[in-house]
Amino acid sequence: MAPEQSELLKDLTAEEVQRILALGARIAVPSGASLFHLGDPADRLFLIERGRIRLTLPMQVRGREEDVVVEERTSGQTVGWSALIPPHKFTLAATAPLETEVIALPREELRKHFAANPTVGYKITLNLAVVIGHRLQLFQAMWLREMQRTVEKHSA
Amino acid sequence: MEMFLMVLCMSMFGLAIAAIAFGAATRPESSSSRVQPELRPVKAVAPGRFFTDQVIPPAAPRTHVPTEILLTQIENHVRLEQAAAESFLESPSHAQLHTKTTSAFVN
């Protein structure tokens, strides 16, 4: 997918997209490699250009810590928005299940660019709010379904 | 005289008996010289059940699902739940929120 079609860069002009992309760097993530770990400082936001990223959280399974997939993001989607949200720490771990290419956008460069171009900053912030809001609503629904099952189990 | 000798003999006999009894009572025990009774292992005593007559049956053996399969089930469960949540977000309704899952992890 072309970067301009990315969920984060929606409604930006071609010129605005190019300026944003010029701030970042393409990173090739080999299959099975980690993009970031839980608790790492989040100083970069990632646009997935090609491939897939698995977002995982640790879970104790039979006394062993296992990474359990919470979400999967694919090309055109964004991972690592903790880079723009304090306290700037990754709250999930990210790995590539197959060879993946991402564009890494440094937080500090983005912040300076937004300060100089508030319209671009506003559009990207709105797009980011959509991404965050969607995840929140998704997990609210998932949480409620789990709670419903727990209630049914306890009242059976 | 005869009486005196008889009393003396009986006194000596009594003294000898007392000395033997005293010696036997105060002799240190040597473990090596004695044969110790063989100790048999005692069966583990079941924990006491207080205030109940209910006998707790032994736990039934569980079918052990390999960890890899369990993790795959969890992953599939998360995918199915996300798909269900996505459907709910597309058209929010009570029925969409509480659709039953086919996930092997919870069924």
Side-chain angles (χ1 to χ4, degrees):
Chain A
M1 178 182 271
E4 55 269 22
Q5 291 171 307
S6 159
E7 61 186 1
L8 192 73
L9 306 177
K10 203 178 145 213
D11 296 332
L12 264 70
T13 65
E15 193 187 337
E16 288 169 339
V17 168
Q18 287 313 311
R19 282 187 183 175
I20 290 287
L21 294 179
L23 301 174
R26 266 193 181 76
I27 297 175
V29 191
S31 175
S34 171
L35 186 60
F36 53 80
H37 299 99
L38 175 74
D40 279 355
D43 51 5
R44 290 179 299 174
L45 181 72
F46 302 97
L47 306 184
I48 305 171
E49 199 171 20
R50 186 173 59 84
R52 212 183 314 152
I53 293 290
R54 287 158 64 101
L55 298 172
T56 62
L57 276 174
M59 186 187 267
Q60 286 290 322
V61 179
R62 291 181 179 148
R64 266 177 53 189
E65 194 172 285
E66 302 282 355
D67 284 330
V68 172
V69 176
V70 173
E71 212 177 345
E72 257 187 353
R73 310 294 279 168
T74 187
S75 63
Q77 296 187 306
T78 310
V79 290
W81 45 256
S82 296
L84 296 181
I85 311 292
H88 307 300
K89 300 249 182 196
F90 289 120
T91 53
L92 296 155
T95 50
L98 49 100
E99 204 174 299
T100 298
E101 248 181 52
V102 297
I103 298 170
L105 298 166
R107 179 180 68 233
E108 205 46 42
E109 299 300 316
L110 279 175
R111 196 188 59 76
K112 284 180 193 162
H113 189 77
F114 293 168
N117 304 276
T119 314
V120 173
Y122 173 70
K123 286 178 187 174
I124 289 185
T125 306
L126 269 186
N127 290 338
L128 196 66
V130 171
V131 173
I132 297 170
H134 183 260
R135 187 189 277 176
L136 173 68
Q137 289 172 331
L138 198 73
F139 279 83
Q140 274 178 340
M142 287 172 74
W143 173 80
L144 199 84
R145 285 171 62 82
E146 288 297 335
M147 281 300 287
Q148 182 68 53
R149 270 194 287 274
T150 307
V151 168
E152 282 168 13
K153 198 174 155 187
H154 281 273
S155 55
Chain B
M1 185 66 185
E2 283 177 359
M3 281 287 280
F4 174 73
L5 284 172
M6 201 165 76
V7 169
L8 187 66
C9 281
M10 288 196 55
S11 299
M12 290 299 285
F13 181 73
L15 191 66
I17 294 287
I20 289 167
F22 180 77
T26 56
R27 188 187 305 147
E29 287 188 21
S30 70
S31 57
S32 58
S33 62
R34 258 185 210 185
V35 179
Q36 294 289 322
E38 191 183 344
L39 292 175
R40 292 187 180 181
V42 180
K43 280 186 183 176
V45 179
R49 294 189 296 271
F50 300 101
F51 310 116
T52 178
D53 292 332
Q54 191 185 353
V55 177
I56 301 162
R62 284 188 189 174
T63 49
H64 193 76
V65 179
T67 305
E68 289 72 27
I69 292 175
L70 183 63
L71 287 172
T72 308
Q73 283 182 352
I74 293 171
E75 195 170 321
N76 287 338
H77 175 69
V78 172
R79 283 181 211 281
L80 286 168
E81 284 302 291
Q82 274 195 359
E86 292 272 11
S87 299
F88 165 72
L89 294 183
E90 277 173 24
S91 52
S93 71
H94 184 273
Q96 281 284 3
L97 185 59
H98 296 300
T99 51
K100 293 288 175 196
T101 181
T102 55
S103 168
F105 183 65
V106 291
N107 288 309

